[in-house]
Amino acid sequence: MVRIKDTQLVETVAGTWLRFPNSFKKFNCLVELPGQLTMNINSKSGSIHIHKKDGNNVYQPLGELTLSVSSNQLQLGTHGVQQAGQLQYGGLPIGAYDKGEKPVRQSDAS
């Protein structure tokens, strides 16, 4: 059981107040996402800390993503990220294609 005094309320960029452990440190931008997830973006380090709401409605750390550029290619690193589903870009899975195969975005029209 989580005690309220062991948690804190933190405001997101949208003005929503969410509950986090007292050890949570808000960086430059806290964004609430679908699926009971948040992104805590640190623009100085380029890291994105991901949190997920637990059964006590407290957002707990899930892992960290780091973005960097090397030779004009975007690099994505993960640290402590639990398997929460496949990463996607624009609704298309990342890393699920054979060499040379390019994803094609389907029209929404039936």
Side-chain angles (χ1 to χ4, degrees), residues 2 7 10 14 17 34 40-41 50 52 54 56 59 61-62 67 80-81 89 92 99 104:
V2 175
T7 64
V10 182
W17 291 88
N40 187 22
I41 301 168
I50 309 296
K52 183 169 178 57
D54 67 12
N56 294 313
Y59 283 83
L62 185 61
L67 299 173
V81 176
Y89 172 74
L92 299 170
K99 289 183 180 177
V104 177

Side-chain angles (χ1 to χ4, degrees), residues 43-55:
S43 61
K44 188 173 185 176
S45 70
S47 66
I48 303 166
H49 297 258
I50 309 296
H51 292 77
K52 183 169 178 57
K53 189 176 359 177
D54 67 12

Side-chain angles (χ1 to χ4, degrees), residues 61-83:
L62 185 61
E64 179 182 346
L65 305 172
T66 54
L67 299 173
S68 61
V69 176
S70 176
S71 301
N72 291 329
Q73 290 189 344
L74 181 63
Q75 304 287 320
L76 172 66
T78 59
H79 306 279
V81 176
Q82 300 172 8
Q83 185 64 26

Side-chain angles (χ1 to χ4, degrees), residues 13-35:
V13 295
T16 305
W17 291 88
L18 304 175
R19 189 165 297 283
F20 288 85
N22 281 337
S23 60
F24 175 81
K25 179 182 185 273
K26 182 179 174 184
F27 293 112
N28 306 97
C29 182
L30 178 62
V31 180
E32 188 175 12
L33 299 171

